[in-house]
Amino acid sequence: MTDLYAAVDCGTNSVRLLIARAQDGRLVELDRRLHLTRLGQGVDATGRFHPDALARTFAAMADFGEQLDALGVRHRRLVATSAARDAANSGEFFAGARERLGVDAEIISGEEEAGLSYAGAVSALPSLPQPVLVMDIGGGSTELVLGDGGTPSAAVSLDVGSVRLRERFLHSDPPSAAEIGAARHYVDGLLDASGIPFADVATWVGVGGTVTSLSALAQGLPAYDRALVHGSSLAADELDALTARLLAMPVAGVTALPTMVPGRADVICGGALICQTVGRRAPAPLLVSEADILDGIVLGLLSRDA
């Protein structure tokens, strides 16, 4: 029987699963699932996981665990990112995750997170002009990694994501001009200090829920379609227009947009602002990849067995 490999990524806003097997040197996806659990609810302000956020996250992990057990998946890796790095009561999270998934959660560094996102993204987009900048906007952090020929040369994890930016700066509904200006100034400051040579970028690739959601909205899709999102691109003027539109809309209006899920509707404006601000420095359109950190994690598991 062919071995199956599973990756679980527990982030600030979502918990996601990929189950795959290897065939002819590539990944064959068997199952991919997402639950928007907002684990990072209030962590930026309180430094602790909220009980409701833990309950939502554990319910998602229980769903994943049942599927992994049903398929007999032996090779599993669970990584936890920004919210778990920041919470004081992480012991409760660790115990609940192990009970439901049968493996310990690994709190990975921002740099490893960036490298895994890069590996996953470029694996599904061959023959890209080099160097490539991969961007992964999460709920609590944003990973940027620059590479050439498949080898990362610079990587950074920025202390800003869609949830964190919304909670810190974008308080009104919709956000005010002053709030948007303060948020953009903060993101620009992080990018200034990032050490990423944006002028060198030949290809700019975006992964994660913010970017894929922006692509679906820009295309006006009536329902989310991974095949139409993967490999799509957003020019600078399209990204500017979409960001301005989302920042001007109340959450209720964003929720009503086709393809928009409620768990992302209130923070997509923050994610769009981050994406647009990066795009003002990257001299290339945004190329969207459906492959991301999950694919990178599975590829890492495969390399261990090789």
Side-chain angles (χ1 to χ4, degrees):
M1 179 179 176
T2 302
D3 281 350
L4 302 182
Y5 297 81
V8 178
D9 173 35
C10 185
T12 301
N13 198 43
S14 64
V15 183
R16 303 180 305 129
L17 166 72
L18 170 63
I19 302 174
R21 58 182 172 84
Q23 180 177 307
D24 300 327
R26 64 183 181 87
L27 294 183
V28 178
E29 178 181 319
L30 301 179
D31 195 359
R32 193 183 291 258
R33 301 185 183 192
L34 173 146
H35 291 281
L36 291 166
T37 64
R38 193 65 61 85
L39 177 62
Q41 173 189 342
V43 169
D44 195 44
T46 67
R48 300 180 62 84
F49 288 127
H50 192 284
D52 292 345
L54 283 171
R56 293 190 298 267
T57 301
F58 290 157
M61 289 180 173
D63 170 54
F64 293 171
E66 290 173 4
Q67 179 70 346
L68 293 175
D69 291 342
L71 293 176
V73 179
R74 296 188 300 112
H75 307 280
R76 311 177 182 187
R77 189 181 184 195
L78 163 63
V79 302
T81 53
S82 180
R85 285 197 296 265
D86 300 338
N89 58 336
S90 57
E92 186 177 352
F93 167 79
F94 284 124
R98 179 164 187 80
E99 178 183 347
R100 290 160 179 83
L101 291 169
V103 292
D104 289 323
E106 301 176 48
I107 307 299
I108 62 173
S109 69
E111 288 70 27
E112 182 179 0
E113 186 177 354
L116 290 169
S117 294
Y118 180 87
V122 300
S123 71
L125 293 169
S127 303
L128 297 175
Q130 304 293 315
V132 176
L133 176 68
V134 173
M135 174 189 70
D136 186 353
I137 301 172
S141 64
T142 295
E143 278 60 57
L144 297 172
V145 56
L146 185 71
D148 196 336
T151 302
S153 58
V156 64
S157 180
L158 305 179
D159 186 30
V160 66
S162 60
V163 175
R164 186 160 284 171
L165 198 70
R166 180 68 161 175
E167 290 184 351
R168 284 187 183 179
F169 296 100
L170 306 176
H171 305 297
S172 303
D173 184 26
S176 68
E179 291 169 350
I180 294 169
R184 193 180 303 283
H185 178 74
Y186 178 71
V187 176
D188 268 326
L190 293 176
L191 295 176
D192 286 342
S194 69
I196 298 292
F198 291 97
D200 296 343
V201 172
T203 303
W204 176 33
V205 176
V207 302
T210 289
V211 170
T212 56
S213 296
L214 292 176
S215 171
L217 290 173
Q219 294 183 65
L221 299 181
Y224 192 85
D225 187 329
R226 293 187 68 223
L228 294 176
V229 168
H230 182 70
S232 62
S233 63
L234 281 168
D237 58 343
E238 293 177 292
L239 188 54
D240 285 344
L242 183 56
T243 301
R245 177 187 175 199
L246 291 170
L247 285 166
M249 294 179 70
V251 172
V254 179
T255 303
L257 294 173
T259 74
M260 182 56 57
V261 292
R264 184 163 284 123
D266 62 328
V267 298
I268 188 68
C269 63
L273 190 151
I274 295 168
C275 186
Q276 179 198 34
T277 307
V278 173
R280 289 179 173 179
R281 298 170 182 243
L286 175 63
L287 180 62
V288 180
S289 175
E290 276 281 357
D292 53 28
I293 188 173
L294 290 173
D295 302 76
I297 294 168
V298 171
L299 289 168
L301 290 173
L302 284 166
S303 68
R304 292 179 187 178
D305 284 354

